[in-house]
Amino acid sequence: MKMSAVFFLLLVSIPSSMAVQDLPRREPRRLSCVRCCGPSEQPVSIISSRYTRMSSDPASSVPKVQPTIDITILKGEKGEMGEKGYPGAAGKEGERGLRGFNGRKGQKGQPGPQGHSCKQLYAAFSVGRRKPLHSSDYFQHVIFDTEFVNLYKHFNMFSGKFFCYVPGIYYFSLNVHTWNFKETYLHLMKNEEEMVILYAQPSDRSIMQSQSLMLDLQEGDEVWVRMFKRERENAIYSEESDVYIIFNGHLIKPAVE
């Protein structure tokens, strides 16, 4: 009787222990804490909080797709060249560069033209006038009729002008005889410019009047005498038998020796 009771208990206890071993164990569900709200905030639902956590997870977020566009497909044809623009403002002057290398020696030039036979390092003249002269025009050129010295013919007797062939320093002098009761007013000219004045007031006595100066002349300059007329009659006196009007000039120092 005792044996049968023990056997029955064994039969009853074996299936129950086996059944417990065959069933899978479930771990207890862990509830995550969800922040509800602060004292001054509105309640947040559990669903929206869970959606926020899932969207912030990089594993569960949807990858972004960035499309690429081939620009060469959209490129049009080359346009026409536009008009030339206005030049810009000039820039600042740059620093001076280094000196360059010496160039090659050039070829020997051709011989120059033959020099003028009158181009000597001497020049001198002395001319006079035997006839008296009254100024009938506003300006009147004084012409000389007597030649005392005219070295290399630098003084032109027809024009009454000295022509400079040799550049340098020259000395000039002019001597005239005044006329009674008439004014004497002359200019010593260099080209078309008045250099000095020879002047004498009207008087009952005629006198000899003179003027002189030095000039630095260049080749081609001309020196001559001009008579000037104002309100009163202007005149210089001379006679056929005597020479009262003298014009002199000579080279003192040539520019190139």
Side-chain angles (χ1 to χ4, degrees):
M1 189 66 181
K2 290 182 182 181
M3 289 295 291
S4 58
V6 172
F7 183 75
F8 176 77
L9 290 174
L10 289 173
L11 289 177
V12 174
S13 60
I14 289 174
S16 61
S17 63
M18 292 180 61
V20 172
Q21 291 179 0
D22 293 339
L23 293 176
R25 296 183 179 179
R26 292 186 179 180
E27 296 180 358
R29 186 176 180 180
R30 298 179 180 178
L31 297 177
S32 58
C33 297
V34 179
R35 183 174 180 272
C36 179
C37 59
S40 60
E41 296 179 354
Q42 296 293 331
V44 180
S45 63
I46 299 175
I47 298 174
S48 61
S49 177
R50 185 177 300 174
Y51 175 76
T52 303
R53 291 197 310 271
M54 291 178 63
S55 59
S56 61
D57 189 2
S60 61
S61 60
V62 179
K64 295 181 180 180
V65 179
Q66 185 175 1
T68 56
I69 301 175
D70 190 358
I71 301 178
T72 58
I73 300 175
L74 304 178
K75 186 177 180 181
E77 298 180 356
K78 186 177 180 180
E80 298 180 356
M81 181 180 290
E83 298 180 357
K84 186 177 181 180
Y86 295 101
K92 295 182 179 179
E93 184 178 356
E95 297 180 357
R96 187 174 181 179
L98 300 176
R99 184 176 180 180
F101 298 101
N102 295 331
R104 296 181 180 179
K105 186 177 181 180
Q107 298 179 355
K108 186 177 180 180
Q110 298 179 356
Q114 185 177 358
H116 198 280
S117 58
C118 293
K119 286 188 176 181
Q120 306 293 330
L121 298 181
Y122 304 98
F125 73 92
S126 179
V127 294
R129 182 182 175 91
R130 293 179 181 272
K131 296 179 181 180
L133 183 63
H134 290 262
S135 60
S136 57
D137 298 327
Y138 188 68
F139 293 118
Q140 186 172 352
H141 197 145
V142 179
I143 304 297
F144 299 88
D145 51 26
T146 303
E147 184 179 84
F148 298 107
V149 174
N150 193 3
L151 189 62
Y152 306 117
K153 302 298 179 181
H154 289 182
F155 189 90
N156 190 325
M157 296 297 294
F158 294 98
S159 65
K161 295 182 178 181
F162 169 76
F163 187 88
C164 177
Y165 287 96
V166 183
I169 306 298
Y170 284 79
Y171 174 82
F172 297 95
S173 65
L174 177 63
N175 301 286
V176 300
H177 191 280
T178 64
W179 205 309
N180 294 356
F181 304 104
K182 294 181 182 180
E183 188 178 43
T184 302
Y185 197 154
L186 297 99
H187 286 132
L188 191 60
M189 307 288 294
K190 175 185 174 183
N191 299 323
E192 298 300 324
E193 183 180 1
E194 302 96 343
M195 293 288 101
V196 293
I197 297 174
L198 188 153
Y199 179 75
Q201 292 181 347
S203 174
D204 56 350
R205 298 176 57 187
S206 61
I207 60 173
M208 293 296 296
Q209 192 80 340
S210 66
Q211 181 65 279
S212 61
L213 81 162
M214 288 191 293
L215 293 175
D216 186 2
L217 300 182
Q218 303 297 322
E219 184 176 358
D221 287 340
E222 294 178 326
V223 180
W224 51 288
V225 180
R226 185 182 70 180
M227 209 169 190
F228 181 69
K229 181 181 179 181
R230 298 200 297 178
E231 294 82 5
R232 291 174 289 192
E233 188 178 6
N234 187 12
I236 50 178
Y237 179 80
S238 190
E239 295 180 356
E240 292 288 340
S241 59
D242 295 313
V243 180
Y244 289 89
I245 305 168
I246 304 293
F247 184 30
N248 299 321
H250 65 276
L251 176 64
I252 297 176
K253 182 180 185 300
V256 180
E257 296 181 353

